[in-house]
Amino acid sequence: MKKRRLFFSTIIFLGLITSCTKKLPLGNINSQIRLTVNMLGDNLQSPNVKVTLSSPINGTDSFPPVPNAKAYIISGTDTAKLAYDIFFKNYSLGTFKLQPSTDYDLIVDAPGYPLATSMLSMPQIIDLNGTVFKDSIGIDNQGFPVGGVDIVLKDPGIVRNFYRFTFFTWNTSLSEWEEASLDFVDADIANAAQRNQNGNVLLKDDLFNGSTQIIRLYAPFGFAGQNPKFKILVDNLESNYYYYLQSIDNYEPSGGIFQEPAQILTNINNGVGIFAGSTQTEFIIN
């Protein structure tokens, strides 16, 4: 009798393991196939909206694109209708660009599917004037001099701001910018920053909201005679953009059997996906 109980207990436990390891990245499950709508835009490039079909079970873009939808981006009384690009398989509109400090609504209407909508508030552009290069700021662990870049970031007050930093050096041989390692000198800033799996360096303004903050980066030594030297790219991310990047980094489909699956952030009504934006500021140091 004891052997029989042990046998049935083993069967139940194995069934529990099997059911717990089937991760569903989308929390709200129903039998309806919906639209997946994705756009991560900025103020420097024309936005592209990708529309596909998505099963609510796996939430991927494995289904074909939807070329017969009507996609609109609306700001106040201005409505921009996006055209489908057969080659890139997305919706775009010529020279149209998202503007800083502006609210936008997105509407995607595809026959046979619920009307998908979303909205975003573009952050304001960031002032980086005063950013400078210093050819030598100290000595590294091996006794060699190191340079530095002081980013003068004027953080807007009242609202929370979410930043992404990218650092480039100029390759004189190839005459092009190359992305370089980005390391903060200040320990508090370095500890507050987050680096995700895609290499994004993200920082909230918790330490300096509403004030002018000098953020010093380590830079290669010996660039004093070169022109140009460095390029700093700072994205002021809309909050949904920031938390979307975080949710992707936190998503772990192979967690433990008792671990709840992390959910990818979605802000598309009657669908899934992300509609978010950022304002980019480039600063070149000559």
Side-chain angles (χ1 to χ4, degrees):
M1 192 67 167
K2 290 183 179 179
K3 290 184 178 179
R4 195 171 184 180
R5 288 178 180 174
L6 179 61
F7 173 77
F8 283 114
S9 299
T10 303
I11 294 296
I12 293 172
F13 180 71
L14 290 175
L16 177 63
I17 293 177
T18 302
S19 63
C20 287
T21 55
K22 292 181 180 178
K23 302 294 183 183
L24 300 177
L26 296 177
N28 298 322
I29 302 173
N30 58 49
S31 60
Q32 183 183 53
I33 296 178
R34 297 168 290 171
L35 295 177
T36 293
V37 181
N38 287 306
M39 189 216 78
L40 295 175
D42 59 61
N43 58 310
L44 300 182
Q45 303 179 56
S46 297
N48 297 312
V49 179
K50 186 174 183 180
V51 182
T52 65
L53 297 183
S54 174
S55 164
I57 295 179
N58 55 33
T60 68
D61 288 342
S62 59
F63 283 77
V66 181
N68 62 337
K70 296 178 181 178
Y72 305 91
I73 294 180
I74 303 170
S75 176
T77 59
D78 298 326
T79 299
K81 183 178 180 181
L82 284 68
Y84 186 72
D85 188 311
I86 298 177
F87 182 78
F88 291 105
K89 297 181 180 180
N90 59 26
Y91 291 83
S92 60
L93 179 62
T95 59
F96 172 80
K97 295 180 181 179
L98 301 172
Q99 299 300 312
S101 305
T102 305
D103 295 334
Y104 292 95
D105 291 290
L106 174 69
I107 298 176
V108 178
D109 186 7
Y113 300 96
L115 187 72
T117 64
S118 189
M119 63 177 298
L120 74 86
S121 295
M122 286 287 286
Q124 68 184 82
I125 203 160
I126 299 302
D127 185 358
L128 299 179
N129 288 322
T131 296
V132 295
F133 166 66
K134 297 185 177 181
D135 194 44
S136 179
I137 62 170
I139 303 296
D140 65 16
N141 295 332
Q142 298 179 342
F144 295 101
V146 292
V149 171
D150 285 352
I151 301 175
V152 180
L153 192 153
K154 301 173 181 64
D155 182 81
I158 304 175
V159 297
R160 294 290 308 279
N161 294 283
F162 307 86
Y163 298 110
R164 176 173 58 189
F165 294 86
T166 315
F167 182 49
F168 300 88
T169 58
W170 180 253
N171 187 316
T172 54
S173 300
L174 300 177
S175 296
E176 64 182 22
W177 293 107
E178 293 183 342
E179 187 170 345
S181 175
L182 192 154
D183 296 297
F184 298 105
V185 174
D186 183 85
D188 290 335
I189 296 293
N191 291 332
Q194 298 183 13
R195 300 172 187 268
N196 66 16
Q197 296 175 3
N198 294 325
N200 292 295
V201 179
L202 307 176
L203 180 67
K204 294 188 289 186
D205 66 352
D206 292 346
L207 298 176
F208 49 86
N209 181 260
S211 64
T212 297
Q213 176 71 27
I214 296 178
I215 299 176
R216 176 170 288 184
L217 311 177
Y218 286 111
F221 175 76
F223 273 67
Q226 181 174 305
N227 188 17
K229 299 177 181 66
F230 307 108
K231 180 171 71 173
I232 310 296
L233 179 62
V234 178
D235 291 82
N236 189 7
L237 305 174
E238 186 215 5
S239 60
N240 280 326
Y241 202 141
Y242 175 85
Y243 289 114
Y244 171 74
L245 293 176
Q246 274 200 327
S247 70
I248 290 178
D249 204 44
N250 292 335
Y251 176 64
E252 180 51 66
S254 57
I257 62 172
F258 299 112
Q259 178 181 331
E260 288 293 327
Q263 295 187 14
I264 304 298
L265 186 144
T266 176
N267 67 345
I268 305 297
N269 301 314
N270 299 320
V272 293
I274 186 71
F275 178 59
S278 70
T279 56
Q280 294 187 347
T281 303
E282 288 185 353
F283 192 93
I284 295 176
I285 300 176
N286 293 310

